[in-house]
Amino acid sequence: MFLTITTTGTPERPATDLGFLLHKHPDKSQAFSTSYGKAHVLYPEADDRRCTAALLLEVDAVALVRRGKGKGRGGAPDAALAQYVNDRPYAASSLLAVALSAVFSSAMRGVCGARPELPGQTRPLRVEVPAVPARGGAALVRRLFEPLGWTVTADPVALDTAFPEWGDSRYVGLVLESETLTLAEALRHLYVLLPVLDDAKHYWVSSDEVDKLLRAGEGWLPEHPEQKLITSRYLSRRWSLTRQAMERLELVRLAEADDSAVEEIDNAVEAEAETEEKPTPLAVQRRDAIVAALKASGAARVLDLGCGQGQLVQALLKDPGFTEIVGVDVSVRALTIASRRLKLDRMGERQASRVRLLQGSLAYTDTRLKGYDAAVLSEVVEHLDLPRLPALEYAVFGSARPRTVLVTTPNVEYNVRWESLPAGHVRHGDHRFEWTRQEFRGWAAAVAERHGYEVRFVPVGPDDPEVGPPTQMAVFSIRSTETTNEKEAKAA
């Protein structure tokens, strides 16, 4: 991953002033450790008339995978390989933006202790990045950079020069030129807009990213014609963060128009009274949705199949309407942790009579599971190899036959909204597959048809208009009319 910054000068204003601004001496080659590899700063040329600083980022693919918590093991045969064979070491992305911020932090802030007059000076600048992923093509590159005073050259990179009929890739060779910007402004533009062009980030985007965006966007983002697109992409399309950023940008715009400080405009609530609402974790939203669906079904005796460490069992115990709760898992270790979480050894007799933990495999029929009002399979099916799903299906829907069955599973379409998740990878290392909404609905409808259930679907989490919710839930209800097989079984 490579980027160069070039400036020209005169004997009176030598181009080598670039070294003072970047706080990196032109006669030295320096290396800096980052979380995902090593960044090198060197000067291919440096004299009074022309000076070029180069930033070379060597990405450690293994560190990238490890810090991503090993995501990527899934149904696709090349999913694991894709962790190591991808564009991250070569194409400018949020990795390069983070390296820019780390290596040139003082320059980005416009600080130069040795020559304090330099940061405020505009100078001829030429920035070259050989490979930039541009989701939106060269036209979007121009829409983002030209309003900021850059002359833009964005040459699409062919998919394969030997096969021109294949067309262009999503990458461009980028050259930016300007004589009206300071170096600090140029670095802040790159810091924000490189991840925006890639439309992806290699780390989890949290609320502090709003502050980073506003700091780097100070002086240019509030008036940018593509402000909304920049804000949404930079914040990984997380609507709550995007809305927060847009509101703060509007305050900045109003303050500038009124020639006032932002604090004077935003004074409706005293600082001491401010409280920040933290987003509800998806796991909590999922448990709440399950409990609500169980209560709506009128279930009192509930099976938690694949109960793991007992979080759902614990939530159900808080509601006295659930008179019997059984957690089942194949893992003895998980059941031990669940027992400690529930404090079974210190639980009162009355409360203890409501809960049991059983060890068992969902791939086999189990007479202990018959006769319950409802069963929950929360984030379970995706941990099974696809050929084993029919066995689970029969064990739950054919043999145990609770009146209600709830199944939740990740919606793979939503994965593009998780910026810590590399493209094409699944959310957990043990997931054998992840379904689209259409695939999940097709499986659920077929199961319902085979076993005499009706099914409806409930979104869990924010329902994105493009890719749907992060979790999809199917609510199966047994049909009131008995099938022929059920009648024959009762007669027997």
Side-chain angles (χ1 to χ4, degrees):
M1 200 179 295
F2 193 65
L3 174 148
T4 61
I5 303 171
T6 300
T7 188
T8 55
T10 64
E12 295 76 27
R13 290 185 60 184
T16 48
D17 283 349
L18 184 63
F20 285 101
L21 287 166
L22 293 175
H23 295 255
K24 305 293 182 287
H25 199 287
D27 291 339
K28 295 180 180 179
S29 174
Q30 296 174 266
F32 305 86
S33 294
T34 73
S35 300
Y36 298 95
K38 185 167 287 188
H40 302 267
V41 178
L42 59 150
Y43 289 78
E45 54 183 345
D47 56 40
D48 288 352
R49 296 197 175 277
R50 186 178 173 89
C51 184
T52 298
L55 174 64
L56 171 65
L57 179 61
E58 290 184 294
V59 176
D60 183 344
V62 175
L64 191 61
V65 171
R66 286 175 177 167
R67 288 182 176 270
K69 298 181 180 178
K71 298 179 178 71
R73 179 180 167 196
D78 61 344
L81 181 62
Q83 296 179 99
Y84 303 96
V85 183
N86 53 51
D87 68 349
R88 298 298 86 178
Y90 314 106
S93 65
S94 58
L95 289 165
L96 184 59
V98 170
L100 278 172
S101 176
V103 176
F104 299 138
S105 58
S106 296
M108 192 175 292
R109 296 196 310 272
V111 175
C112 182
R115 299 280 300 279
E117 76 281 2
L118 291 181
Q121 297 176 359
T122 61
R123 61 190 61 250
L125 293 172
R126 179 184 173 92
V127 177
E128 297 184 57
V129 192
V132 178
R135 297 182 188 273
L140 178 61
V141 180
R142 288 189 286 271
R143 279 163 40 208
L144 294 180
F145 283 100
E146 285 180 348
L148 301 174
W150 292 102
T151 300
V152 179
T153 303
D155 295 325
V157 177
L159 278 172
D160 193 321
T161 55
F163 300 94
E165 64 274 14
W166 289 1
D168 296 327
S169 69
R170 67 183 182 93
Y171 302 92
V172 299
L174 179 62
V175 178
L176 303 172
E177 295 178 289
S178 176
E179 296 190 2
T180 62
L181 295 170
T182 66
L183 179 64
E185 289 172 328
L187 291 173
R188 289 198 296 268
H189 295 167
L190 292 167
Y191 175 76
V192 173
L193 296 181
L194 288 178
V196 167
L197 283 170
D198 190 20
D199 198 12
K201 281 195 172 180
H202 66 277
Y203 57 88
W204 170 248
V205 174
S206 56
S207 57
D208 63 344
E209 290 296 297
V210 175
D211 296 324
K212 293 180 186 177
L213 174 62
L214 296 182
R215 282 197 300 268
E218 185 178 357
W220 62 271
L221 184 55
E223 301 299 330
H224 198 291
E226 297 293 341
Q227 177 199 100
K228 186 173 182 180
L229 180 143
I230 293 169
T231 304
S232 176
R233 284 194 176 193
Y234 184 86
L235 297 171
S236 304
R237 302 179 186 270
R238 293 190 61 191
W239 66 269
S240 58
L241 297 183
T242 301
R243 182 181 61 186
Q244 179 185 340
M246 293 295 291
E247 289 172 350
R248 290 172 62 178
L249 285 168
E250 179 62 14
L251 280 174
V252 172
R253 191 189 66 78
L254 291 173
E256 290 177 350
D258 198 37
D259 196 22
S260 305
V262 172
E263 291 76 11
E264 296 176 23
I265 301 291
D266 188 21
N267 59 2
V269 179
E270 295 183 6
E272 291 78 5
E274 291 181 5
T275 56
E276 181 181 349
E277 289 188 17
K278 294 184 178 180
T280 304
L282 180 59
V284 176
Q285 295 182 57
R286 186 163 50 238
R287 283 198 294 274
D288 290 347
I290 290 170
V291 172
L294 289 172
K295 290 174 71 69
S297 74
R301 304 175 66 238
V302 179
L303 297 167
D304 182 8
L305 304 177
C307 66
Q309 299 178 14
Q311 292 94 330
L312 178 60
V313 173
Q314 186 177 45
L316 295 175
L317 275 171
K318 294 176 182 178
D319 190 323
F322 299 110
T323 59
E324 184 177 353
I325 305 149
V326 178
V328 181
D329 205 284
V330 72
S331 169
V332 173
R333 181 172 179 272
L335 292 172
T336 301
I337 295 172
S339 178
R340 287 201 298 264
R341 175 188 295 276
L342 299 170
K343 299 181 175 63
L344 289 182
D345 57 337
R346 287 176 279 169
M347 190 176 285
E349 183 178 348
R350 184 174 179 181
Q351 186 80 328
S353 67
R354 295 173 58 211
V355 61
R356 283 190 299 156
L357 298 179
L358 303 177
Q359 199 250 340
S361 170
L362 301 180
Y364 302 97
T365 58
D366 190 335
T367 56
R368 296 176 298 174
L369 308 184
K370 292 185 177 183
Y372 285 84
D373 300 327
V376 178
L377 291 159
S378 180
E379 310 300 285
V380 170
V381 294
E382 64 273 9
H383 290 272
L384 273 69
D385 292 317
L386 283 168
R388 297 179 68 86
L389 272 185
L392 175 143
E393 173 192 332
Y394 180 74
V396 175
F397 295 90
S399 176
R401 290 194 65 75
R403 287 192 292 105
T404 300
V405 180
L406 307 182
V407 180
T408 74
T409 191
N411 168 22
V412 71
E413 296 169 77
Y414 194 89
N415 287 359
V416 297
R417 300 296 187 250
W418 304 119
E419 288 311 323
S420 59
L421 191 63
H425 292 189
V426 292
R427 298 184 197 175
H428 188 279
D430 191 51
H431 286 187
R432 276 27 178 196
F433 62 89
E434 285 177 1
W435 275 324
T436 64
R437 286 169 291 174
Q438 183 178 358
E439 289 169 335
F440 180 54
R441 286 170 181 250
W443 174 81
V447 169
E449 180 64 27
R450 281 193 290 269
H451 297 284
Y453 283 79
E454 296 174 346
V455 64
R456 60 185 178 89
F457 301 92
V458 178
V460 179
D463 198 355
D464 189 288
E466 295 180 4
V467 297
T471 296
Q472 43 193 342
M473 179 166 71
V475 181
F476 295 84
S477 303
I478 202 164
R479 293 190 188 128
S480 56
T481 56
E482 292 182 328
T483 65
T484 303
N485 289 340
E486 288 171 327
K487 291 178 179 177
E488 291 176 354
K490 282 189 175 182

